[in-house]
Amino acid sequence: MLAAYLIAHQHQHPGDYKSHDLLRAMKPCATFGLMFSRARIKFIEFLTPLHKDFVLRYPEKMTDIRPPDLDEACRVIKEILKDIHLVFKMKGF
């Protein structure tokens, strides 16, 4: 969704959203009016190295991490998606 948000706003630096770096994709979103709470940023900060290293795709890589509670993780992700959807709607997308 972060990539979709940047693409929809014609962000001029594809490297920001064509990598698996969620923080790199999140940061320029603020330029286009999408900002997250500190708690959501902290969650994205937690996920970024896991996403970049494909840990979530290959469970055998999850030996040294403590994943958050699944229900909590799903709740936060749903909130992030709602935030993005809301800003899209506000901007007429």
Side-chain angles (χ1 to χ4, degrees):
M1 279 302 278
L2 296 171
Y5 191 82
L6 292 173
I7 292 166
H9 286 87
Q10 300 177 350
H11 182 60
Q12 297 298 310
H13 305 282
D16 290 343
Y17 56 82
K18 285 191 172 186
S19 71
H20 285 84
D21 190 332
L22 299 174
L23 283 174
R24 184 174 174 186
M26 181 193 66
K27 288 177 182 176
C29 288
T31 304
F32 303 107
L34 179 64
M35 293 173 274
F36 296 109
S37 68
R38 182 68 199 136
R40 291 178 186 147
I41 292 169
K42 188 174 178 180
F43 184 76
I44 291 170
E45 287 171 343
F46 170 78
L47 282 183
T48 295
L50 304 176
H51 192 60
K52 285 172 66 173
D53 195 32
F54 302 99
V55 170
L56 303 172
R57 186 178 296 176
Y58 303 106
E60 62 271 12
K61 291 186 169 195
M62 294 185 77
T63 58
D64 297 331
I65 65 157
R66 292 188 53 132
D69 175 73
L70 182 60
D71 289 336
E72 177 65 12
C74 289
R75 185 188 63 75
V76 174
I77 291 169
K78 187 175 181 179
E79 290 173 357
I80 290 170
L81 293 174
K82 280 183 178 180
D83 289 346
I84 295 169
H85 183 256
L86 178 63
V87 176
F88 265 141
K89 284 177 68 174
M90 289 171 45
K91 292 185 165 217
F93 284 92

